[in-house]
Amino acid sequence: MQKAIDFLSTKNPIFQEIIEKYGLPTIPKRPQGFETLVLLILE
């Protein structure tokens, strides 16, 4: 994810300001399986 953040920050400095203000986004951990797939689609 850091590579993507660095790329976006070079394209538009506002991304770096957002990261500095709010921190890195969290990546939720979910169990694998059909139930999780359905939940992701519905979200």
Side-chain angles (χ1 to χ4, degrees), residues 10-32:
T10 60
K11 296 296 180 186
N12 190 340
I14 192 71
F15 287 107
Q16 187 60 39
E17 292 176 31
I18 292 170
I19 295 296
E20 289 172 2
K21 185 173 183 177
Y22 299 103
L24 294 173
T26 59
I27 299 174
K29 303 286 184 198
R30 298 180 182 183
Q32 293 184 0

Side-chain angles (χ1 to χ4, degrees), residues 30 33-43:
R30 298 180 182 183
F34 182 73
E35 182 178 335
T36 299
L37 175 62
V38 172
L39 288 174
L40 288 171
I41 292 169
L42 293 175
E43 289 178 340

